[in-house]
Amino acid sequence: MDNAPSNAPWKPDSWQARKAVQLPVYRDAAALASTIAELGRLPPLVTSWEIEALKARLAQAQQGRAFVLQGGDCAETFADCSSENIVQKLKILLQMSMVIVAGLKRPVVRVGRIAGQYAKPRSDDLETRDGLALPSYRGDLVNRSAFTATDREPDPALMLRGYEYAALTLNFVRGLIDGGFADIHHPENWNLAFVSQSPMADRYHQVMRRVTDGLAFFEAVTGTRVDDARRIDFFASHEGLNLYYEQAQTRWLRHRSRWYDLTTHYPWIGARTAAVDGAHVEYFRGIANPIGVKIGPATTTDDLLRLAAVLNPANEPGRLTFIHRLGAQRIASVLPGMIEAVRRAGATVLWVCDPMHGNTELLGSGYKTRRFDRILDELEAAFRIHGELGTHLGGVHLELTGDHVTECIGGARGLTEQDLHRAYRTQVDPRLNYEQALEVAMRIADRG
Ligand code: PEP
Ligand code: CO
């Protein structure tokens, strides 16, 4: 009777009766209630039409007919919500996606960790400095990072700020894309200032020349203009960690007769909150969005099957993504058993590899980093294992930035431990910089 509680009626707040981990404790219950009510009154950030369109694309990726590129910051911050940052992120994702399309000859589904990636799980509830213990910083959606009692107190009003920043971000992204920024006829729009000095530059420009020549050739021969090349789809995702925020924007859509989480298109459950009988799984089972679940080395095959049964009982195509983040050292011993178990159970899932979160190390210098070679090793192993078992690796989930940061070690420029201090800017986990991200895209393209 393991799954019995999940058969109880679902409501946007039925998760509150479950064991919840990683959630803030809001001391002012009245302020929390009024924030939830206000968020519920405001217009949604995304629509069910977009969400269902994404689900159909994810169903194609499940069948090996498309590839998902999901990427962005580990943690977005309100301070970083600037024109420059948004454009840089869009540029690198567009560049990567074109490299992958050209290599794999498959459409790419572009998904940003963007417009809502403001809440973070933490190992400890408290952080202690000089004998003073305060609540850990849990992301801008929850509290503030400065180490004072006032700043660290979870503040429900920050959910409204998060909603506003997410709306500003989405508005700008939509304006850019609708206005022609992503037009494949004009890839020069996405050039990053330092692209010309990059070791990746030649290959990138060759690929883009092939793409634009092919497009021009097709248009010349057919006497048509490929208007579909003017606009691309771009979707938003974030970890659905702060369930108060997600709940507040969950709506029953009469024309579809289903509940939707309208904070984002594609929310995921983090590795630390994926307990089958926990609050997060309870919330996610009731929404119609496509959803992801992060799968770590501690996840058992039994957990996987129960997650699939609770989160996708109707086996709806495109609904459920397992994002495996196992680490370069463990993937070969763990992933095949997971894939076999899911296959035997007949569960329809999309497999995506996150080669970042199983390969994080803390250096003696205090920097948290990831080695580029380990990231590539895990990704290559994921392709190989899925290939051997006859399943599809349907996508990749990356932490990256369009900037020239120095957070991960290795890559074409051979960044070392000694380089990290130069531009180490992440709030939480180390990201691939622009060149490293493009290099990953080229490795993926090589699998085509
Ligand atoms: C993340 O994606 O930033 C994260 C915390 O990942 P995971 O849940 O896989 O540890
Ligand atoms: Co992270």
Side-chain angles (χ1 to χ4, degrees), residues 56 82 84 111 115 129 141 148 155 160 204 244 246 266 316 338-340 389 393 400 441:
S82 65
E84 158 107 305
V111 183
R129 289 191 202 170
L141 194 68
T148 73
D155 179 357
L160 280 165
Y204 173 71
Y244 295 106
E246 310 300 328
Y266 188 19
E316 185 185 358
M338 291 180 163
I339 295 173
E340 289 290 6
L389 294 176
L393 179 65
L400 54 82

Side-chain angles (χ1 to χ4, degrees), residues 45 87 115 134 139 219 249 306 315 324 328:
L45 294 171
V87 167
L134 294 176
E219 290 181 339
Q249 296 174 78
R306 291 169 67 204
N315 236 353
H324 48 79

Side-chain angles (χ1 to χ4, degrees), residues 364-434:
S365 54
Y367 283 113
K368 221 196 224 190
T369 194
R370 290 164 173 155
R371 288 172 205 274
F372 189 70
D373 287 346
R374 298 255 165 86
I375 293 170
L376 284 184
D377 285 350
E378 179 161 358
L379 191 55
E380 301 272 343
F383 273 109
R384 179 175 49 73
I385 292 165
H386 281 285
E388 284 168 4
L389 294 176
T391 44
H392 301 289
L393 179 65
V396 64
H397 181 117
L398 301 167
E399 287 184 344
L400 54 82
T401 155
D403 288 321
H404 211 48
V405 300
T406 56
E407 297 170 5
C408 291
I409 292 176
R413 263 183 223 242
L415 290 186
T416 67
E417 273 192 60
Q418 283 67 45
D419 293 311
L420 294 184
H421 73 276
R422 282 199 281 115
Y424 194 96
R425 301 206 201 106
T426 180
Q427 283 281 333
V428 187
D429 286 338
R431 301 161 296 178
L432 298 169
N433 65 24
Y434 156 72

Side-chain angles (χ1 to χ4, degrees), residues 218-235:
F218 179 86
E219 290 181 339
V221 168
T222 59
T224 57
R225 182 148 170 101
V226 184
D227 265 339
D228 275 357
R230 287 202 66 242
R231 266 199 90 257
I232 51 116
D233 287 336
F234 185 83
F235 299 96

